[in-house]
Amino acid sequence: MKLFTRLYVSIALMSCAGMLQAQGTAVAPPQNVAQLSASGAVEVVQDMLAMTLNTTREGSDPTTVQTQLKTALDAALAEARKAALPGQLDVRTGQFSLYPRYGREGKISNWVGSAELVLEGRDFTRISTTAGKIQGMAVAQTSFSLSREQRERVEGEAQALAINRFKARAADVARGFGFSAYTLREIAVNSNDQGGFPRPRMMAMEAKAASDAPVPVEAGRSTVQVTVSGSIQMR
């Protein structure tokens, strides 16, 4: 028991001495370290279209309004499913809402409801043609974006550009400070894309109201940007 006590006390004293020594020794800040970043951007045509069709109903009886919306939505779904093709034209329902409208006395005067149908995919012609055939629903919004495959491909190109530019800039910075080489300390890679804004509601509805011909659509472009940032150790 005494031997154990002495051994324990000895270890405790050694630990305290080590802690005091560590506290008395300041950690030297890193030397010859530079922070920098570089970006690579690739512009590409958007290859995904989402077209939202909408219908509204209004009446004094909420059950009647809801039934009317369901009937219109079921008919639209039946028409859209005729042209559905996975990846090219996918069909799904959007928002379905029903809410009261109040009069001046604070009492419910009417019920207003709306239902949405969304057509989306890569086949713009199939989507716009199907939208033109659906009766009882008007195009409320169109938006464009990049498919996952397109995004991954473009991100790879932008990332390669960003990495090459980072390496070139790192070498230039090191040489500028009189060093012949450098090593990487830490790196962060971030990506984003700009584009795919929705078209105005009124423009889309006017195009649909003119006739049952395909709704005219034209994709924009997205710029996918990848930024590489981090620090280097110059040597």
Side-chain angles (χ1 to χ4, degrees), residues 101-119:
R101 177 172 291 173
Y102 294 90
R104 293 180 179 180
E105 299 179 355
K107 297 181 180 179
I108 296 176
S109 60
N110 244 345
W111 289 84
V112 180
S114 66
E116 290 182 346
L117 178 68
V118 182
L119 312 177

Side-chain angles (χ1 to χ4, degrees), residues 6-24:
R6 287 198 297 270
L7 180 60
Y8 178 82
V9 172
S10 177
I11 292 175
L13 289 174
M14 291 174 63
S15 299
C16 290
M19 292 173 61
L20 291 173
Q21 184 177 2
Q23 292 176 357

